[in-house]
Amino acid sequence: MPSVTMPHRRRKTPDSEDEIDDDSSSSGATSSSQRFGLNKRARININGDASPRSGSPLLPDGYLAKPNTSTKNGRGGARREVEKHQPGSIIRVKLTNFVTYTSAEFFPGPSLNMVIGPNGTGKSTLVCAICLGMGWGTQQLGRAKDVSEFVKHGCQEASIEIELAADPERHTANPVIRRNIKREGNKSQFFIAGKVATQKLVLDLARSFSIQIDNLCQFLPQDKVCEFAALSPVELLHSTQQAAAPAEMIEWHSNLKDLRREQKIVQAHLVGGKENLASLESRHQMQRADVERLKERAAIQERLRLLQKARPFAKYREARNRHTEAKKAKKNAQAALKGLEKEVEPSLRAVNAKEEYLKLVNEAVKDRKRAVDRAEATADNLATKQRGMDDKLKDLDMSLDAEKNGDKTRKRDLGRVEGTMTSYKRQMDVEPVEIDVASYNEHRREKERAMAELRMKRDAVKETGNTIEYRVRDNTEKIERARVELENLESQAGQQGNKLSQISRDTAVAWDWIQNHQNMFEKQVYGPPIMECSVKDQKYVDAIEGLFQNNDLLAFTCQTRNDFKTLQQQLYGAMKLGEIVLHTVSSGLERFKAPVSEAEMRRYGFEGWAIDYISGPEPVLAMLCGESRLNQTGVVLRDISDQQYSALEDSPISSWVTGKQSYQITRRREYGPGATSTRVRNLKKAHVWTTQTVDPRAKRDLQDNIRGWSDEINDLKQQTNDVKLQLQSLGNDFKDLKTEKERLESEKADKQKANAELRALPTKLEQQEEKLAQLKNAGEEVRERIEQIEEKKDNLVLEKGQVALDYANAVEVFRQAHMELLQAEHVLIEATSDVQVLQDRKGAVKEMLEAKRREVTQVEKDFASLNNTAKELLLQCRKLLEEAEGNIENDFYSSLPEGQTSDELETEIESEKARLELVHEGNPHALQEYEARQIKIDKLQEKVQAAESKLEDFASSINEIRELWEPRLDELVKKISDAFSISFEQIGCAGQVDVYKDEDFDHWAIQIQVKFREHEQLSILDSHRQSGGERAVSTIFYLMALQSLARAPFRVVDEINQGMDPRNERMVHERMVNIACQENTSQYFLITPKLLHDLKYHPRMTIQCIASGEYMPKNYQDLDFGRCVDIMRKVKAAG
């Protein structure tokens, strides 16, 4: 296989540009294929059917997708039996606008797939497609952060379609997964079998086939090779189980780690608990004597406390005795009161009888008063009725007068109607007026036509006047704009504004709008660098301006995302502007640091960084650093030496500007230190940030235009005066015609009205005759109404007389009721006097009776007071019993002497106080500490017992799971070790794989031991003992050892052979072919940019050869790869 040769650097050749890698997006350079208008396309697995042209084929027959069945000399070969893909393996991968691919389709074989091709053709892109297409994220690749970055440059959407081999037990057709990636919004959409699905459903489908993209033992992309090599033995065990062990083993291991972790926690708690328990018990024993003394003192204090609390019991007994005596006194007083009441009862009875009589008289007086009120009300109602009849009589009189007056009016109307009829008859004898309507209409139309002509002339003159006024305004505005431009020619801002308008009219319009609407933004929005920035020293202007594209100089700078959205909606949406560039800067200029120190920069021959020569607002400078890396671009006005150039190739500086040229270096460090390409461009003369004097010709043109427009305005004003005179003349003529037209219409209307009135006279005469008949009939109706009114009046007079008689009778009833009231009131006065005399006589008796009652009341009050006191004391006693702390306190209250008084109780309390003073107090907190410590000891003993029981449970559970997991793990690792050892034996070395076992299952690990030299002993694989190539060989052999054990349907290894020497690479390749091409093994993808010659080939292998670049046809299917192989065979045969 041919090796890859990196292009040599060419410097100081402005017309040539070396190939720039696709990943160097920041440089803004254009690849050679783009310069010649060709799209970069991929040719994948295009294997022709052509027969070999020589006896010894350049490539084996199995290389072709369709193996040869015949040769030129008649020899034929048997067609290889078509193998079936295992469930979950990849049958097809189709990519559209994905990274470097415009359109490509892969058809991997079921066994080993070797993906080869030069660097940069897109081999690793296939790996990225498999990862992203299966639903995993970019973090598994170690490349771009956002999935949108995988969309091909210049496209808005990419798609990945992967067809997996079906599981016959679950699927009727091969599952097809498609992922569409949109650049805008960094969004993805998933499909399964053409139907929309979620990312979770896609991941579930992949995992149902045991696909583990996140396991480096199955999926090892290029950027994760170092990460896999750096896996710790513990992590390697975890990845190995995920790749080759059943799910229950992973679960057992996880359970063992969890159980051991919890067991250690419990063990630590148990040790601490036992130590704490021993300490507490020791202190407990030392304090026992002091506690006994304190308990005695506490007993005395407790008895003293109970005696003091028992005071309510003694008081209650005393109150109960006083209550009994008061109860007897109450009964005696009530008996004496009853005897006195019985003795004075006869005299009181007479007084009471007289008082009852007084009450009856009072009721009689009240009845008489109500009778008087009723009689008075009846008389008042009749008087009111009589007044109402008088009002009705007055109304009838008024109605009668109205009828008589109406009859007089009717008679006057009768005479007037007869006169009108006589007048109409005389008018009917007059002849009608003659009128020529057609003549009048013709004259009116002539006037209207003349008016219309005048109106058209007037509109035309007005239109001319409007045109003149528009030209005057237009010329005035032109003069104002020219004067502004004239002022701008003499100012720096104005000159820059003119340059901005010349470069991009849309950007200039947008800048004018932003300046007038800054209040709409959260923070200030800055204009294009053309307007906001300047070069500090004009001798550097060509060098600085040459670093920018037009888009950089025209870009607007926003400081917040909301301002960016607002400006985007306004400029793109509302104003429909096209050539607009927007950037958002959220961090300051301090984030952009120089790649080297100032001293190192001077050593490379530079005078400064590009950012040092530009002045402007900090956010705009930060934007330019982010887009054009001004903080990393060196500047010098002279050429640098060859030594300085060589030093720059290995320095962190990737771009610089000399006197006449700019340099851009692109490095691909993964391909070695020599993998660089340099782009050199000639600097053009600056035209944006240059300072120049006012252009005399432009100034003279503006002044001439202002004079010409001013003269034209004067001529137009004279034309305006002529137009006004024409409009005035036309207006007068129009007014005369309108007056004449109105006169004709009035004259015609008067004649028509006279004839119409003459024709209407017969009708009017009939109407008057009908009115005359109505007036004559109305006379009879008036006489009838007058008779009816007089009849009503007579009836009302008779009714009024009857009401007057009823009123007289009512007045008599009222008088009699009043007399009876006076008699009853006289009797009431007499009865009141008798009652007063009797009450005076019984005053002494009542006084004596009231005194006795007061005595009884006082006795009852004293009894009630004692009763309440006794109840309160009883409640206190009951409360004490309820609040008693246990039976001891209740027994104490029960043991108190029944007849003990309060004084006796107080004596006993004083005695206990004296005893208390004789007992030494000591440490007052010793007893509390003793009891609290005893509680802690009891709790700790319970915790220790519980922890010991829990540890026994943990040990039992761990042993139970370990007996299941450990033998199967040993068996799995032994199989891996056997395969690993065989691989090393094939290359004359030795290796084995063991399980490192520890008390903690978190520390169990895979221990790989290797020996690459005969005199060495087996040693653990690490970065200190073995070289990079030896570690790479060990890694690939370990991955191959998993091949027959892995549950995954396919495995991917990207550029694992990088760093191997030819011997190791050849041995590893042969071993890989032998293992990966065995029957019933999983699918394998090996991606490599380089291969040695004459490597081992197996018929079960599939070679995926990727070709891309500027020489690919637009339609990759036009390339016959088989024919290319035939040509290679001819060349080899001819050699």
Side-chain angles (χ1 to χ4, degrees):
M1 295 289 178
S3 61
V4 177
T5 303
M6 301 305 298
H8 294 289
R9 171 181 61 81
R10 291 179 293 171
R11 61 186 296 254
K12 296 185 179 180
T13 54
D15 297 333
S16 66
E17 296 184 0
D18 292 344
E19 180 180 347
I20 305 298
D21 188 79
D22 293 330
D23 294 335
S24 56
S25 59
S26 60
S27 66
T30 305
S31 66
S32 58
S33 63
Q34 291 172 332
R35 281 188 287 111
F36 290 103
L38 298 176
N39 293 327
K40 187 174 184 181
R41 296 178 178 269
R43 177 64 172 162
I44 304 157
N45 199 28
I46 309 298
N47 302 310
D49 294 335
S51 303
R53 300 299 194 269
S54 64
S56 58
L58 179 64
L59 295 175
D61 183 65
Y63 172 79
L64 300 175
K66 297 180 180 178
N68 295 318
T69 57
S70 62
T71 60
K72 263 185 119 178
N73 55 14
R75 290 180 298 170
R79 179 180 296 272
R80 182 178 60 177
E81 183 181 354
V82 178
E83 298 180 53
K84 291 185 179 180
H85 287 72
Q86 292 189 8
S89 60
I90 299 175
I91 293 179
R92 178 175 59 88
V93 180
K94 183 177 181 181
L95 307 178
T96 305
N97 297 329
F98 185 78
V99 191
T100 59
Y101 295 115
T102 301
S103 177
E105 195 164 10
F106 298 80
F107 295 92
S111 295
L112 177 62
N113 290 270
M114 294 193 64
V115 183
I116 62 175
N119 286 324
T121 54
K123 301 181 300 301
S124 297
T125 302
L126 173 61
V127 178
C128 298
I130 293 174
C131 173
L132 298 179
M134 292 290 185
W136 270 267
T138 58
Q139 67 273 11
Q140 310 301 334
L141 300 172
R143 289 197 170 192
K145 179 181 179 183
D146 296 329
V147 70
S148 60
E149 297 182 34
F150 289 86
V151 179
K152 185 176 181 180
H153 181 70
C155 300
Q156 296 301 315
E157 185 174 349
S159 69
I160 307 168
E161 186 172 290
I162 300 176
E163 181 179 352
L164 302 177
D167 184 351
E169 296 181 359
R170 294 185 295 150
H171 307 106
T172 57
N174 291 335
V176 178
I177 301 171
R178 189 169 87 250
R179 180 174 187 172
N180 292 344
I181 305 172
K182 295 185 178 180
R183 182 186 300 275
E184 184 177 357
N186 192 34
K187 296 179 179 178
S188 295
Q189 189 174 19
F190 292 89
F191 300 84
I192 298 177
K195 297 181 180 179
V196 177
T198 63
Q199 185 175 11
K200 182 179 182 303
L201 289 176
V202 173
L203 289 171
D204 290 343
L205 176 62
R207 288 173 176 141
S208 69
F209 288 107
S210 298
I211 297 173
Q212 303 172 15
I213 299 296
D214 51 355
N215 187 347
L216 295 179
C217 289
Q218 176 188 342
F219 190 85
L220 189 61
Q222 176 182 348
D223 295 283
K224 293 282 186 174
V225 171
C226 295
E227 182 178 332
F228 181 82
L231 283 178
S232 68
V234 173
E235 294 171 335
L236 185 58
L237 174 61
H238 177 72
S239 297
T240 300
Q241 287 190 105
Q242 279 191 323
E248 62 266 18
M249 286 186 64
I250 300 172
E251 184 178 358
W252 289 339
H253 190 195
S254 177
N255 292 340
L256 285 171
K257 290 190 286 185
D258 294 340
L259 288 171
R260 176 55 185 160
R261 199 176 298 117
E262 294 177 10
Q263 186 185 40
K264 288 167 64 178
I265 294 172
V266 175
Q267 286 175 342
H269 289 168
L270 179 61
V271 172
K274 286 183 175 180
E275 292 176 354
N276 195 13
L277 180 61
S279 175
L280 288 175
E281 289 177 341
S282 175
R283 291 165 59 192
H284 207 56
Q285 188 65 30
M286 294 171 60
Q287 206 175 20
R288 190 178 300 277
D290 293 337
V291 169
E292 292 297 332
R293 186 171 61 256
L294 286 174
K295 284 184 177 180
E296 180 183 358
R297 181 177 175 84
I300 296 173
Q301 289 176 334
E302 178 65 15
R303 179 169 175 77
L304 179 60
R305 181 183 69 83
L306 293 175
L307 287 172
Q308 290 173 342
K309 288 181 67 175
R311 284 170 176 156
F313 290 97
K315 292 179 180 179
Y316 171 69
R317 284 192 290 272
E318 293 177 351
R320 186 178 59 187
N321 294 334
R322 290 195 298 271
H323 174 268
T324 303
E325 295 173 359
K327 186 174 183 181
K328 293 178 180 178
K330 175 186 173 184
K331 289 182 178 180
N332 294 334
Q334 289 175 344
L337 177 61
K338 288 181 179 179
L340 182 59
E341 288 176 345
K342 188 174 181 181
E343 183 180 348
V344 298
E345 183 180 1
S347 59
L348 293 176
R349 193 182 302 119
V351 176
N352 293 337
K354 199 65 176 176
E355 288 176 350
E356 288 297 326
Y357 174 72
L358 179 61
K359 289 180 182 179
L360 294 175
V361 174
N362 266 326
E363 291 297 327
V365 169
K366 291 178 181 178
D367 290 341
R368 299 294 172 83
K369 284 183 177 179
R370 285 193 289 271
V372 170
D373 292 339
R374 287 195 297 271
E376 185 179 8
T378 301
D380 289 340
N381 290 337
L382 290 172
T384 301
K385 186 176 183 181
Q386 191 174 17
R387 287 192 296 272
M389 290 181 175
D390 290 338
D391 293 337
K392 290 182 179 179
L393 286 172
K394 289 179 181 178
D395 293 340
L396 290 173
D397 289 338
M398 292 174 64
S399 298
L400 187 59
D401 293 339
E403 291 293 340
K404 290 179 179 179
N405 292 331
D407 189 54
K408 292 178 181 179
T409 302
R410 180 189 61 77
K411 291 178 179 178
R412 287 195 298 272
D413 291 342
L414 190 61
R416 188 169 53 254
V417 169
E418 290 176 346
T420 301
M421 291 175 61
T422 302
S423 174
Y424 285 165
K425 290 177 180 179
R426 285 198 302 270
Q427 291 178 15
M428 291 173 65
D429 295 336
V430 179
E431 293 294 330
V433 179
E434 294 184 1
I435 177 173
D436 188 355
V437 177
S439 176
Y440 274 110
N441 290 340
E442 181 61 28
H443 283 86
R444 181 177 59 78
R445 283 193 291 271
E446 289 177 359
K447 301 299 180 184
E448 288 177 346
R449 284 193 292 271
M451 290 171 64
E453 292 176 0
L454 288 176
R455 192 180 293 110
M456 292 175 62
K457 290 180 180 179
R458 183 185 63 187
D459 292 342
V461 172
K462 281 185 177 180
E463 182 65 26
T464 302
N466 292 336
T467 303
I468 293 171
E469 289 180 1
Y470 171 77
R471 290 174 62 189
V472 169
R473 287 195 303 272
D474 183 54
N475 287 342
T476 302
E477 293 174 358
K478 288 180 180 178
I479 291 171
E480 291 299 325
R481 286 196 297 270
R483 286 173 178 169
V484 172
E485 292 180 12
L486 195 59
E487 293 176 359
N488 290 340
L489 284 176
E490 299 175 356
S491 66
Q492 181 65 26
Q495 293 178 19
Q496 294 302 105
N498 289 335
K499 292 177 183 178
L500 179 62
S501 299
Q502 294 170 7
I503 297 173
S504 173
R505 183 65 183 171
D506 285 357
T507 305
V509 171
W511 177 228
D512 290 340
W513 184 89
I514 291 172
Q515 289 176 303
N516 296 325
H517 297 83
Q518 283 286 357
N519 58 338
M520 293 178 58
F521 304 107
E522 296 176 353
K523 292 186 177 180
Q524 182 176 355
V525 175
Y526 293 96
I530 292 178
M531 304 301 300
E532 300 283 5
C533 300
S534 62
V535 178
K536 298 177 181 178
D537 191 341
Q538 283 296 304
K539 66 182 179 181
Y540 293 97
V541 68
D542 292 343
I544 299 303
E545 194 171 313
L547 296 174
F548 301 108
Q549 303 292 332
N550 269 353
N551 284 347
D552 299 328
L553 297 173
L554 299 177
F556 293 98
T557 303
C558 304
Q559 299 188 69
T560 67
R561 293 297 302 172
N562 291 336
D563 290 347
F564 179 87
K565 293 179 180 178
T566 301
L567 199 57
Q568 189 179 48
Q569 293 172 356
Q570 176 64 30
L571 302 183
Y572 295 150
M575 301 177 68
K576 307 296 184 184
L577 299 179
E579 300 176 358
I580 301 298
V581 182
L582 304 178
H583 290 300
T584 302
V585 175
S586 57
S587 57
L589 192 59
E590 66 276 359
R591 184 170 68 89
F592 298 96
K593 305 294 184 182
V596 298
S597 65
E598 185 175 355
E600 289 180 287
M601 181 263 294
R602 301 290 183 189
R603 184 168 59 82
Y604 290 128
F606 296 128
E607 299 171 2
W609 303 109
I611 189 63
D612 299 334
Y613 300 98
I614 300 180
S615 61
E618 183 174 320
V620 179
L621 297 180
M623 180 273 292
L624 293 176
C625 287
E627 296 298 320
S628 301
R629 295 190 289 184
L630 301 184
N631 58 307
Q632 301 179 17
T633 302
V635 177
V636 61
L637 295 181
R638 55 174 177 77
D639 286 340
I640 59 176
S641 64
D642 291 341
Q643 292 82 2
Q644 289 172 333
Y645 186 92
S646 299
L648 283 171
E649 285 188 310
D650 297 327
S651 74
I653 302 174
S654 59
S655 61
W656 65 88
V657 181
T658 62
K660 300 295 184 181
Q661 295 169 328
S662 66
Y663 295 82
Q664 176 75 42
I665 292 181
T666 301
R667 301 179 176 88
R668 292 296 298 273
R669 299 194 183 278
E670 62 268 27
Y671 299 136
T676 62
S677 60
T678 305
R679 177 187 178 199
V680 184
R681 292 189 304 170
N682 281 335
L683 295 178
K684 298 179 181 179
K685 292 295 293 180
H687 66 281
V688 172
W689 283 319
T690 58
T691 56
Q692 58 185 11
T693 59
V694 177
D695 185 355
R697 180 178 178 183
K699 182 176 181 181
R700 185 169 58 254
D701 290 343
L702 288 173
Q703 290 173 342
D704 291 343
N705 288 337
I706 290 172
R707 283 193 295 272
W709 289 328
S710 299
D711 293 341
E712 186 177 353
I713 288 174
N714 293 332
D715 294 340
L716 291 172
K717 287 182 177 179
Q718 182 60 42
Q719 295 177 21
T720 301
N721 294 332
D722 296 341
V723 167
K724 290 180 179 178
L725 293 175
Q726 292 180 28
L727 286 175
Q728 185 177 1
S729 175
L730 290 172
N732 293 335
D733 295 344
F734 185 83
K735 186 176 181 181
D736 293 342
L737 288 172
K738 184 177 180 181
T739 302
E740 181 63 20
K741 175 190 169 188
E742 290 174 351
R743 184 190 63 76
L744 290 172
E745 290 176 346
S746 177
E747 182 178 343
K748 173 188 172 185
D750 292 341
K751 290 182 179 181
Q752 287 178 336
K753 182 179 179 182
N755 288 337
E757 289 178 350
L758 186 61
R759 288 193 297 271
L761 285 176
T763 303
K764 291 182 177 181
L765 181 61
E766 291 178 0
Q767 292 174 351
Q768 291 299 319
E769 288 176 349
E770 291 177 359
K771 190 173 182 180
L772 180 64
Q774 290 175 358
L775 290 173
K776 289 180 178 179
N777 293 332
E780 294 298 329
E781 295 175 357
V782 169
R783 284 192 292 273
E784 290 177 359
R785 286 197 295 274
I786 290 173
E787 290 177 357
Q788 292 175 358
I789 291 172
E790 288 178 346
E791 183 178 358
K792 289 181 180 178
K793 187 177 178 183
D794 293 340
N795 293 333
L796 191 57
V797 169
L798 294 175
E799 187 177 353
K800 180 182 177 184
Q802 183 60 43
V803 171
L805 293 175
D806 293 340
Y807 177 69
N809 293 332
V811 170
E812 179 61 23
V813 172
F814 172 69
R815 186 187 63 78
Q816 291 178 359
H818 193 267
M819 291 300 295
E820 291 176 357
L821 176 60
L822 292 176
Q823 292 174 1
E825 287 177 346
H826 179 70
V827 174
L828 178 61
I829 292 171
E830 291 177 350
T832 302
S833 177
D834 294 340
V835 170
Q836 185 63 42
V837 172
L838 291 174
Q839 286 179 345
D840 291 341
R841 291 176 183 175
K842 72 173 185 178
V845 177
K846 289 181 68 177
E847 181 62 30
M848 182 175 59
L849 189 59
E850 288 298 327
K852 196 63 177 176
R853 286 175 177 166
R854 286 193 296 271
E855 181 183 349
V856 172
T857 301
Q858 184 60 44
V859 171
E860 290 175 347
K861 286 182 179 179
D862 294 341
F863 172 77
S865 176
L866 289 171
N867 189 34
N868 292 334
T869 302
K871 286 182 178 179
E872 291 176 1
L873 290 171
L874 179 61
L875 290 175
Q876 292 180 17
C877 295
R878 288 177 177 172
K879 186 176 181 181
L880 288 172
L881 292 172
E882 292 174 357
E883 295 177 352
E885 299 176 357
N887 296 327
I888 297 176
E889 193 167 337
N890 280 329
D891 294 341
F892 176 80
Y893 294 143
S894 301
S895 65
L896 291 174
E898 182 64 28
Q900 188 179 39
T901 63
S902 297
D903 294 337
E904 293 171 349
L905 180 61
E906 292 298 329
T907 301
E908 189 173 357
I909 289 173
E910 291 300 324
S911 174
E912 292 298 328
K913 286 182 178 179
R915 285 183 61 201
L916 184 63
E917 291 177 358
L918 296 176
V919 180
H920 181 64
E921 182 176 3
N923 182 8
H925 303 294
L927 182 59
Q928 295 177 0
E929 294 173 357
Y930 186 84
E931 293 174 349
R933 191 182 302 111
Q934 183 63 49
I935 294 173
K936 289 182 179 179
I937 290 173
D938 294 340
K939 289 183 178 179
L940 274 175
Q941 288 174 345
E942 292 177 0
K943 287 184 178 179
V944 167
Q945 293 174 0
E948 291 174 345
S949 175
K950 200 169 185 179
L951 284 176
E952 292 177 1
D953 294 340
F954 276 130
S956 175
S957 299
I958 289 173
N959 291 333
E960 181 180 352
I961 298 176
R962 184 171 181 173
E963 288 173 359
L964 296 173
W965 175 68
E966 186 175 7
R968 295 183 65 177
L969 178 64
D970 291 338
E971 181 183 358
L972 173 66
V973 174
K974 183 178 183 305
K975 292 179 180 178
I976 296 173
S977 180
D978 292 343
F980 188 74
S981 299
I982 293 172
S983 296
F984 267 85
E985 289 173 3
Q986 297 295 325
I987 64 173
C989 301
Q992 69 179 26
V993 180
D994 295 321
V995 179
Y996 171 76
K997 301 180 180 181
D998 190 85
E999 184 179 1
D1000 289 342
F1001 294 97
D1002 284 329
H1003 298 158
W1004 283 49
I1006 290 291
Q1007 197 172 61
I1008 300 177
Q1009 294 180 315
V1010 295
K1011 184 180 77 170
F1012 285 92
R1013 297 163 187 83
E1014 185 175 357
H1015 63 278
E1016 292 179 348
Q1017 299 293 324
L1018 285 170
S1019 60
I1020 296 176
L1021 178 68
D1022 58 29
S1023 60
H1024 303 291
R1025 293 186 178 91
Q1026 289 82 22
S1027 66
E1030 290 171 345
R1031 291 197 304 275
V1033 170
S1034 302
T1035 299
I1036 193 62
F1037 279 171
Y1038 187 82
L1039 292 177
M1040 287 190 295
L1042 291 174
Q1043 178 73 6
S1044 60
L1045 303 174
R1047 296 178 294 113
F1050 65 86
R1051 305 166 64 79
V1052 176
V1053 178
D1054 189 359
E1055 299 194 16
I1056 191 65
N1057 58 339
Q1058 294 297 317
M1060 292 186 187
D1061 57 37
R1063 174 179 174 276
N1064 287 336
E1065 185 175 354
R1066 190 177 301 279
M1067 291 187 300
V1068 167
H1069 180 270
E1070 181 177 357
R1071 184 60 182 158
M1072 183 182 296
V1073 170
N1074 291 337
I1075 292 175
C1077 293
Q1078 294 176 358
E1079 292 187 4
N1080 301 321
T1081 188
S1082 61
Q1083 191 179 39
Y1084 207 98
F1085 290 86
L1086 175 65
I1087 287 83
T1088 178
K1090 66 183 184 68
L1091 287 176
L1092 302 174
H1093 293 282
D1094 300 325
L1095 293 175
K1096 180 175 181 177
Y1097 180 81
H1098 192 281
R1100 297 171 66 88
M1101 291 172 58
T1102 301
I1103 309 298
Q1104 305 280 351
C1105 185
I1106 300 179
S1108 67
E1110 58 189 78
Y1111 300 106
M1112 286 295 296
K1114 292 185 178 180
N1115 184 2
Y1116 66 84
Q1117 295 180 346
D1118 293 341
L1119 178 63
D1120 188 347
F1121 212 106
R1123 186 179 177 190
C1124 293
V1125 173
D1126 291 342
I1127 294 173
M1128 292 172 66
R1129 286 170 173 161
K1130 284 184 178 181
V1131 171
K1132 184 175 181 180

